Structure formats: structure tokens, C-alpha cells
Amino acid sequence: MPNSNAKLHSNHRGGREAGRRELVSRSLQSAHHCLENQDFGTAYAHYLLVLNLAPELKSSVKETFQFTLFKWAEELDSLARVQDLFNCYEQALELYPNDEVICNSMGEHLFRMGFRDEAAGYFHKAVKLNPDFADAKENFYRVANWLVERWHFIMLNDAKRNLTYLKAIENAVRSGSKSVLDIGTGTGILSMFAKKAGASSVYACELSKTMYELARDVVAANNMEREIKLLHLKSLDIEIPKHIPERVSLVVTETVDAGLFGEGIVESLIHAWEHLLLQPK
């Protein structure tokens, strides 16, 4: 009797596997037929079914799936079906989370629609996945030119200004300010000054996704990624202990330019004083 039950279960599993293979085969045939007829939306749906039923086929159908996705995305874009377009890319990235070509294409759509900060994130990821991907590198540099304010370059090359900040931070840390929050960190230069000055805890927040990613790269290049906690947040949204574990004893910021009030720096500093800074006794 046990042998009979085992045989039934084996036959049942075999039947399900045969059914799966048959459905995958039919869906692939339907996808190819739809592509021949330029019915990209239906072909895309068939490929989604195939890849969910048979993930072992990811490598073999990857290029055809990409082609189908991009063609269908072009149609959705022309029809102004923005949410459907983004949904397709999200589905594709769930299946191929480390595909630089899909990331780059997603970034291109975002950039054309005006979402430049978000586009930069996808271009950056594509370059990280494949540093030799020329299209992604060109796209990232192009969008960075839109997003990185020119005064960043002037400021970073102002040796006198930077030395003044360095000395001020060193004096504050040596006077007992051992925990530091850098508001609007940009490239992360002030955070690195604080850490090199001897601060035990350094936190930095940056609202711009592009500048946040840039700061991560700069901090990592200086071997400080474990010593400086970077937050992709507006300073007004920082909560203790959710984002940082303690009130800090020093706040530094370099967001004082022509956009002083437009950037909300006054509100940020008031918030830091009331909620994030240690109060004097």
C-alpha cells in the first residue's frame, strides 16, 4: 500500500511538471507569434508568465525579453500611460534586478519625463553594475550636469574656504563636540573633516538622490563608509532613534548660498536645535 501511494504522488508530480512544461512551451510560441505581429503588450505578458513559471529560462530569453519590454514601453510612453510603463519596468527589475540595460532604459524614460533625480539613481546603478557600459556612463554624466549645482565645483576648489571650515570643525571637536550632524552633506566633505578631526559619531543627510549617491562614492573612496552614516533624508524628517541613535553635539552645514531661504536652511537649523542637538545645561 505505501508503494502504491508513493507511485500516485510521483505520477501526480510528473503530471504537474508536464503541464508546466506544456504551458511554458505554448506561452513562448504565443510570445514569438505576437512579436511577429508587433503586438508587444501581449508578447510582454506571455514572457512574464514564462519567466515566473520557468525562472531557469531567464538567461536564454533575456535579450528577447528586453527587446519586448523596450518596444512595449515605447508604446506606453506614446499613449501617456506613465504608471503602466513604470509598472512594467518594476516587474522587469524584479525578474532581472541586476540588469544594467533595463536600469539604464528605466533611467532614460524617467529623464525624459523630468524625473532627473530618480533617473540619476538608475543610471548610477547601471554604471555600478557594469562600469564599462558607455551609454549608462554618458547618461549619468549628462543628468549629473543638470543636478549638480555649479557652485559645488567652485566651493570644492576654494582651498581657503575649505581650510576655514576644517579648522572650525577641528576646534569644535577638540572642545568636546564628539557627535556631528552634517545637513545637506553634498559631496560629504564636512563629514569627512569631522571624522578626521576625531568625532566619534558622524551623521550626514542629503535630500538629492544624485548628491547622496555621489557622497556615498566619495566617502567609500576615502575608506570612511563604516564611520560616516549617510541618510537620504531631509533634515526635518530625521527622527531619534529611528534614523540616528542620539542627539548630536555639533551641526555643520554648507547650504548657505543664494538659495538660503529657498532651501529651508533656517527651518532645518531650528529643527536641529530643538530636536537633534544636545541642549546646553
Side-chain angles (χ1 to χ4, degrees):
M1 196 67 181
N3 289 337
S4 177
N5 287 336
K7 188 174 181 180
L8 283 172
H9 284 303
S10 177
N11 290 338
H12 182 62
R13 285 196 300 270
R16 283 193 303 177
E17 178 59 23
R20 183 186 73 90
R21 288 198 301 266
E22 177 66 19
L23 182 55
V24 168
S25 176
R26 287 179 178 271
S27 293
L28 280 173
Q29 291 174 9
S30 297
H32 294 155
H33 179 71
C34 290
L35 285 178
E36 289 174 357
N37 292 293
Q38 298 189 350
D39 183 358
F40 300 114
T42 307
Y44 175 76
H46 280 298
Y47 276 119
L48 281 184
L49 178 61
V50 167
L51 290 168
N52 279 288
L53 286 174
E56 67 273 13
L57 296 179
K58 282 184 179 180
S59 295
S60 61
V61 303
K62 180 178 176 179
E63 289 188 10
T64 312
F65 175 76
Q66 288 175 342
F67 172 80
T68 306
L69 168 67
F70 300 156
K71 286 295 185 180
W72 179 225
E74 287 177 9
E75 283 191 24
L76 292 173
D77 192 13
S78 68
L79 296 169
R81 291 170 57 182
V82 176
Q83 191 56 56
D84 289 335
L85 185 152
F86 289 153
N87 288 342
C88 287
Y89 273 96
E90 287 175 4
Q91 292 166 341
L93 286 169
E94 285 180 9
L95 292 166
Y96 296 96
N98 296 318
D99 188 288
E100 70 273 19
V101 179
I102 295 177
C103 286
N104 183 64
S105 180
M106 174 67 155
E108 289 176 338
H109 281 287
L110 286 165
F111 184 77
R112 284 195 295 270
M113 292 175 186
F115 300 108
R116 290 169 182 157
D117 208 30
E118 293 82 354
Y122 281 96
F123 294 144
H124 183 264
K125 182 178 179 180
V127 173
K128 282 286 190 181
L129 290 167
N130 182 1
D132 297 323
F133 189 6
D135 287 350
K137 285 198 290 188
E138 182 180 343
N139 284 331
F140 181 69
Y141 295 143
R142 179 162 57 107
V143 74
N145 283 333
W146 284 89
L147 293 171
V148 180
E149 299 287 352
R150 292 297 176 213
W151 58 266
H152 271 288
F153 300 108
I154 298 171
M155 179 186 69
L156 288 171
N157 286 285
D158 188 339
K160 183 178 179 181
R161 174 190 174 110
N162 292 335
L163 184 59
T164 301
Y165 268 102
L166 175 60
K167 288 181 177 178
I169 291 171
E170 285 178 340
N171 289 336
V173 172
R174 288 168 184 168
S175 298
S177 298
K178 296 298 185 181
S179 54
V180 181
L181 172 64
D182 180 5
I183 295 178
T185 192
T187 59
I189 188 171
L190 298 189
S191 295
M192 291 187 291
F193 283 171
K195 196 63 196 178
K196 287 181 177 179
S200 56
S201 303
V202 180
Y203 313 101
C205 63
E206 175 57 55
L207 183 59
S208 165
K209 178 69 173 175
T210 303
M211 295 308 300
Y212 167 75
E213 295 288 357
L214 180 60
R216 287 182 62 185
D217 287 346
V218 172
V219 168
N222 285 272
N223 299 313
M224 292 186 181
E225 65 268 33
R226 294 184 180 180
E227 302 176 66
I228 298 172
K229 182 174 182 179
L230 288 165
L231 302 166
H232 180 216
L233 281 174
K234 190 175 182 180
S235 62
L236 296 171
D237 295 330
I238 296 176
E239 298 177 17
I240 300 172
K242 181 179 179 181
H243 301 113
I244 61 176
E246 60 184 332
R247 285 175 177 262
V248 298
S249 51
L250 176 67
V251 169
V252 296
T253 185
E254 227 173 347
T255 49
V256 184
D257 74 318
L260 174 63
F261 294 99
E263 292 189 30
I265 190 61
V266 173
E267 291 85 349
S268 296
L269 291 175
I270 291 172
H271 174 75
W273 173 257
E274 292 177 343
H275 302 286
L276 305 175
L277 265 171
L278 287 169
Q279 299 298 315
K281 296 180 180 179

